[in-house]
């Protein structure tokens, strides 16, 4: 009896493999083969020169040596990190506050659903169009400067040139990242806060704890795993920062290369005349950084289930 | 004594409810301000898209719309250097194709892991989870090279087909199945003599509709907004998608452009997404948390 049943189960289970074929064939062709060849090229001196190719000549780890001894990798890593931090600090602060309000059963915000819809909206907007919009709005001759002049914050005829200074250019990129991502983070944190045992809050209320005390002593410590998840996934997203600074600065990373991100650096090596060697080595570096960060996320999110 | 205590309690209670009321007012004010911060850019976009070229060139700030909205729209549509209709059509084809393939095959892959027991199941599932966070950018170099070798550069194929293997959508579908798809239904279909593939298409797929709808929107929007890969693959003018046209607008000396048309172009690129989002926002916002780690 059980023998028959087992045989039947096995005959159905081959469909598990069959249904996974499209996924793995596609992955193999469009992702894995490109990934392996990308890494492979990192060990060659190989680039396009006009219509002719130079190489490929085996180069060992010289691409990596050039990458790490040169100043660009460090500079662009710092650019990326700084712009990520400028966006992330307000993002996590605002998201924690809003998440706490949305998940507070006693606060009962009537319009909570409307607020959530609005704060999530910027996340779905085309980043390149949004950047183009910011570029036109914050232009020397744009409406933001028009407003600043009308309010006498800057003198008439002397607009504040946002894209000329490192701090204002980086801040605009960071601010756009904040706008596009705080709604997403709020919803994730809110879901985490709703998962906290309500009886803890009731106990705190009985003991006379203030909302501030409740937030710092109960919500925040219990939220630690999801906070780590939010920080690391945001950092992984930050590493991929491209559309906003690329469009805002027309790919130039102005002023003085201060807004060029790692992916813009990669893009410079793979669009137009492709430099397979440098591009490949850079891809490996990005892969390793992302891999380490992902392992942290994986550890944190599996830890809870134990 | 008892009376004093009761009075004290009553006062405390009033203090607490008063405190909540004050907090509610503060929360609402802050939230309204934050919402304004989110929306003001789209309002400014709309205002500027309705102003004339001459008015915009003065660089002044306006609160109320002008009356050039349809004029700007007309001019943009008849602008020979910007193939906006073509770009929109290309974007719709690529995003639509991506959304269909991605949701169908992600559901199929998730079903394979969910409904069957096979030797390599654990290994394959872990593998898909591990590749989830690998950014597409790190394999972009090999990707362009391979597409050149197989002569798929400047076609839509490399932008649509890869979405069959989408680990994030797969993971979402798997989570959804774990909570809503009882295996008994599949077994009942087997007893009725339904083949495995037919069971998936006629019974499982309809049950997954809510999850498919959410993921179809996310995939469509993601593809609609994507700039990095299409910019590397699409070269000829008639194949370009909207984000590439926006980038082109940025790289042109845009002061020579009619700024009314520039704003109109931005508006047309983001408007469809806003409309779809507002219509379906209930499902989308609810779906965001579901796809993440279990809180």
């Amino acid at each position: 009896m059980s023998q028959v049943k087992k045989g039947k189960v096995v005959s159905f289970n081959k469909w598990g493999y069959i249904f996974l074929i499209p996924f793995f064939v596609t992955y193999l062709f469009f992702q894995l083969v490109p990934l392996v060849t990308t890494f492979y090229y990192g060990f060659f001196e190989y680039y396009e020169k006009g219509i002719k190719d130079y190489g490929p000549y085996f180069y060992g780890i010289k691409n990596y040596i050039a990458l790490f001894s040169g100043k660009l990798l460090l500079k662009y890593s710092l650019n990326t990190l700084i712009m990520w931090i400028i966006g992330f600090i307000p993002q996590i602060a605002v998201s924690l506050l809003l998440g706490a309000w949305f998940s507070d059963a006693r606060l009962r915000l009537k319009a909570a659903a409307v607020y959530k819809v609005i704060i999530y909206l910027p996340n779905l907007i085309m980043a390149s169009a949004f950047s183009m919009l910011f570029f036109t709005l914050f232009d020397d001759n744009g409406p933001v400067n028009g407003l600043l002049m009308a309010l006498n914050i800057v003198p008439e005829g002397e607009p504040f040139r946002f894209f000329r200074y490192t701090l204002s250019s980086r801040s605009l990129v960071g601010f756009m990242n904040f706008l596009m991502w705080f709604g997403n983070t709020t919803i994730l944190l809110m879901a985490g806060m709703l998962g906290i045992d309500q009886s803890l809050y009731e106990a705190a209320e009985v003991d006379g704890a203030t909302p501030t005390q409740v937030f710092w002593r109960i919500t925040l410590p219990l939220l630690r795993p999801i906070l780590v998840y939010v920080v690391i996934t945001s950092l992984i997203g930050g590493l991929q920062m491209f559309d906003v600074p690329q469009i805002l600065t027309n790919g130039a990373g102005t002023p003085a290369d201060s807004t060029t991100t790692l992916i813009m650096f990669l893009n410079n090596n793979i669009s137009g005349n492709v430099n397979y060697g440098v591009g490949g080595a850079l891809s490996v570096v990005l892969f390793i950084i992302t891999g380490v960060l992902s392992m942290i996320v994986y550890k944190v999110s599996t830890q809870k289930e134990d | 004594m008892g009376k004093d205590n009761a009075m004290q309690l009553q006062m405390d209670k009033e203090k607490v409810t008063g405190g909540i009321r004050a907090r509610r007012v503060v929360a609402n004010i802050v939230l309204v301000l934050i919402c304004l911060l989110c929306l003001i850019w789209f309002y400014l976009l709309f205002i500027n898209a309705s102003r004339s070229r001459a008015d915009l060139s003065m660089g002044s700030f306006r609160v109320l719309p002008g009356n050039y909205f349809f004029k700007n729209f007309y001019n943009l549509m008849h602008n020979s250097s910007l193939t906006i209709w073509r770009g929109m059509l290309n974007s719709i084809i690529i995003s639509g194709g991506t959304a269909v393939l991605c949701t169908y095959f992600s559901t199929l892959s998730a079903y394979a892991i969910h409904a069957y027991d096979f030797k390599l199941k654990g290994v394959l599932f872990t593998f898909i989870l591990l590749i989830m966070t690998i950014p597409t950018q790190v394999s972009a170099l090999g990707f362009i090279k391979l597409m050149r070798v197989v002569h798929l550069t400047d076609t839509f194929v490399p932008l649509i087909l890869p979405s069959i293997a989408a680990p994030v959508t797969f993971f979402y579908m798997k989570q959804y199945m774990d909570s809503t798809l009882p295996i008994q239904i599949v077994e009942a279909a087997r007893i009725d003599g339904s083949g495995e593939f037919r069971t998936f298409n006629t019974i499982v797929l309809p049950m997954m509709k809510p999850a498919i709808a959410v993921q179809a929107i996310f995939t469509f929007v993601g593809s609609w907004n994507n700039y990095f890969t299409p910019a590397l693959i699409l070269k000829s003018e008639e194949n370009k998608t909207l984000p590439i046209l926006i980038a082109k607008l940025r790289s042109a000396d845009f002061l020579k452009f009619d700024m009314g048309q520039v704003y109109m172009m931005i508006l047309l690129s983001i408007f469809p997404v806003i409309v779809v989002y507002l219509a379906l926002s209930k499902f989308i916002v609810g779906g965001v948390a579901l796809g993440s780690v279990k809180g």
Side-chain angles (χ1 to χ4, degrees):
Chain A
M1 176 72 189
S2 72
Q3 200 62 34
V4 173
K5 203 178 164 194
K6 203 180 165 193
K8 206 164 179 202
V9 169
V10 169
S11 80
F12 279 127
N13 286 338
K14 73 167 193 265
W15 286 93
Y17 290 110
I18 296 170
F19 287 169
L20 280 174
I21 289 171
F23 184 100
F24 280 97
V25 168
T26 310
Y27 183 76
L28 188 75
F29 184 72
F30 286 108
Q31 302 278 327
L32 198 57
V33 170
L35 191 68
V36 172
T37 48
T38 304
F39 291 3
Y40 176 77
Y41 287 133
F43 297 104
F44 287 84
E45 191 177 27
Y46 184 20
Y47 53 85
E48 287 176 345
K49 228 168 125 189
I51 43 167
K52 274 192 77 183
D53 283 3
Y54 178 84
Y57 304 117
F58 187 70
Y59 211 36
I61 56 164
K62 281 185 194 159
N63 283 323
Y64 292 91
I65 293 170
L67 210 53
F68 282 99
S69 59
K71 285 181 181 145
L72 292 183
L73 183 69
L74 183 67
K75 186 179 169 72
Y76 298 154
S77 303
L78 278 177
N79 286 348
T80 312
L81 191 66
I82 289 168
M83 290 191 286
W84 176 75
I85 290 172
I86 291 174
F88 190 72
I89 289 173
Q91 182 183 324
I92 197 78
V94 170
S95 298
L96 275 172
L97 182 68
L98 300 195
W101 282 344
F102 286 143
S103 61
D104 190 337
R106 289 184 307 152
L107 202 57
R108 280 194 305 274
L109 294 168
K110 277 197 192 105
V114 178
Y115 293 140
K116 282 182 222 164
V117 167
I118 293 174
I119 62 169
Y120 193 73
L121 175 68
N123 190 255
L124 294 169
I125 299 305
M126 187 187 290
S128 48
F130 203 36
S131 316
M132 184 67 195
L133 177 64
F134 264 63
F135 175 69
T136 52
L137 292 179
F138 285 87
D139 184 62
D140 300 349
N141 198 26
V144 171
N145 262 312
L147 182 65
L148 291 177
M149 284 178 205
L151 297 174
N152 279 322
I153 295 172
V154 300
E156 193 71 37
E158 284 175 51
F160 181 78
R161 300 181 196 281
F162 285 96
F163 300 104
R164 189 191 267 185
Y165 307 104
T166 303
L167 184 64
S168 51
S169 300
R170 282 177 175 165
S171 299
L172 272 182
V173 174
F175 177 64
M176 288 188 64
N177 282 327
F178 156 72
L179 267 187
M180 292 173 72
W181 287 100
F182 85 96
N184 187 290
T185 308
T186 300
I187 288 166
L188 290 183
L189 292 179
M190 185 193 75
M193 288 173 185
L194 287 173
I196 295 173
D197 190 352
Q198 284 299 311
S199 61
L200 290 172
Y201 290 116
E202 281 155 23
E205 194 187 349
V206 171
D207 291 347
T210 66
T212 323
Q213 281 175 321
V214 169
F215 179 77
W216 289 103
R217 304 273 171 83
I218 298 178
T219 310
L220 216 50
L222 287 172
L223 209 59
R224 210 181 66 92
I226 202 160
L227 267 178
V228 174
Y229 172 85
V230 165
V231 173
I232 306 287
T233 48
S234 168
L235 190 55
I236 294 174
L239 274 174
Q240 296 169 45
M241 198 189 299
F242 173 71
D243 295 22
V244 172
Q246 174 81 11
I247 301 287
L248 216 50
T249 67
N250 197 16
T254 49
D257 239 4
S258 65
T259 55
T260 310
T261 63
L262 286 168
I263 298 295
M264 282 166 77
F265 185 31
L266 177 69
N267 191 61
N268 291 341
N269 280 302
I270 65 176
S271 65
N273 278 346
V274 184
N275 190 328
Y276 293 97
V278 175
L282 182 58
S283 300
V284 172
V285 174
L286 290 171
F287 178 82
I288 291 171
I289 300 173
T290 316
V292 171
L293 292 173
S294 304
M295 286 318 289
I296 300 173
V297 173
Y298 189 77
K299 277 255 167 67
V300 171
S301 33
T302 46
Q303 224 169 29
K304 278 180 299 160
E305 281 154 28
D306 291 347
Chain B
M1 186 70 188
K3 204 180 163 192
D4 279 2
N5 248 342
M7 256 176 80
Q8 185 64 40
L9 237 124
Q10 183 62 32
M11 273 167 65
D12 277 358
K13 213 174 165 188
E14 271 164 20
K15 218 168 119 191
V16 168
T17 43
I20 284 184
R21 210 166 287 152
R23 280 183 53 215
R24 193 177 293 147
V25 171
V26 172
N28 275 308
I29 291 172
V30 172
L31 278 161
V32 166
L33 288 176
I34 287 176
C35 286
L36 285 177
L37 186 70
C38 288
L39 293 176
I40 187 159
W41 317 105
F42 305 111
Y43 181 70
L44 284 177
L45 173 61
F46 170 71
I47 294 294
N48 284 356
S50 70
R51 293 167 65 182
S52 72
R53 182 181 190 166
D55 183 27
L56 283 165
S57 68
M58 297 199 310
S60 49
F61 179 83
R62 294 261 186 278
V63 182
L64 295 173
N67 48 12
Y68 269 73
F69 191 83
F70 294 103
K71 181 77 179 147
N72 286 334
F73 182 78
Y74 179 87
N75 287 343
L76 181 65
M77 289 305 136
H78 293 83
N79 186 330
S80 53
S81 62
L82 270 177
T83 50
I84 178 150
W85 276 130
R86 190 64 209 228
M88 205 171 252
L89 184 68
N90 293 338
S91 282
I92 289 173
I93 294 170
I94 293 173
S95 311
T98 303
V100 170
L101 287 187
C102 177
T103 47
Y104 182 83
F105 284 102
S106 297
T107 313
L108 185 68
S109 312
Y111 181 68
I113 300 282
H114 179 76
Y116 302 99
D117 259 314
F118 46 96
K119 218 171 167 186
L120 293 176
K121 176 170 156 160
V123 178
L124 294 179
F125 185 48
T126 310
F127 180 80
I128 299 178
L129 292 187
L130 284 180
I131 60 176
M132 192 150 70
T133 49
I134 301 178
T136 48
Q137 290 97 329
V138 301
S139 57
L141 175 67
F143 185 70
I144 336 171
K145 181 77 177 167
L146 181 67
M147 290 310 114
R148 282 187 196 171
V149 171
V150 296
H151 298 292
L152 286 174
T153 314
D154 207 21
T155 69
F156 293 169
V157 177
L159 302 174
I160 299 176
L161 270 192
S163 66
I164 290 174
V168 176
T169 316
F170 160 87
F171 186 62
Y172 183 94
M173 295 301 183
K174 176 78 172 61
Q175 297 268 72
Y176 192 86
M177 279 179 192
D178 287 346
S179 61
T180 58
L181 190 75
I183 206 73
Q184 286 85 348
I185 291 181
V186 180
E187 280 162 1
R190 269 180 203 152
I191 291 165
D192 291 345
S194 168
E196 295 302 299
F197 190 52
R198 208 181 126 218
T199 305
F200 173 75
N201 282 322
T202 57
I203 295 168
V204 177
L205 219 50
M207 287 184 70
M208 293 293 290
K209 259 185 199 160
I212 291 174
V214 169
Q215 283 305 310
I217 297 161
F218 275 121
T219 318
F220 186 93
V221 169
S223 173
W224 179 269
N225 295 345
N226 192 9
Y227 170 57
F228 184 80
T229 316
L232 293 170
I233 294 290
L234 303 174
K235 295 297 168 197
S236 60
E237 210 55 44
E238 73 262 21
N239 282 340
K240 286 183 174 167
T241 56
L242 287 176
I244 308 177
L245 292 180
I246 296 266
K248 190 185 153 194
L249 205 60
R250 173 66 183 87
S251 63
D253 190 359
F254 87 104
L255 285 174
K256 284 181 198 146
F257 266 87
D258 177 352
M259 286 305 291
Q261 286 186 46
V262 171
Y263 284 115
M264 183 56 75
M265 166 98 186
I266 300 172
L267 187 99
L268 287 177
S269 304
I270 64 181
F271 196 63
V273 171
I274 293 183
V275 171
V276 172
Y277 171 66
L278 291 182
L280 303 169
S281 56
K282 211 174 118 193
F283 307 101
I284 298 177
V285 174
V288 175
L290 188 61
S292 70
V293 285
K294 284 174 222 158

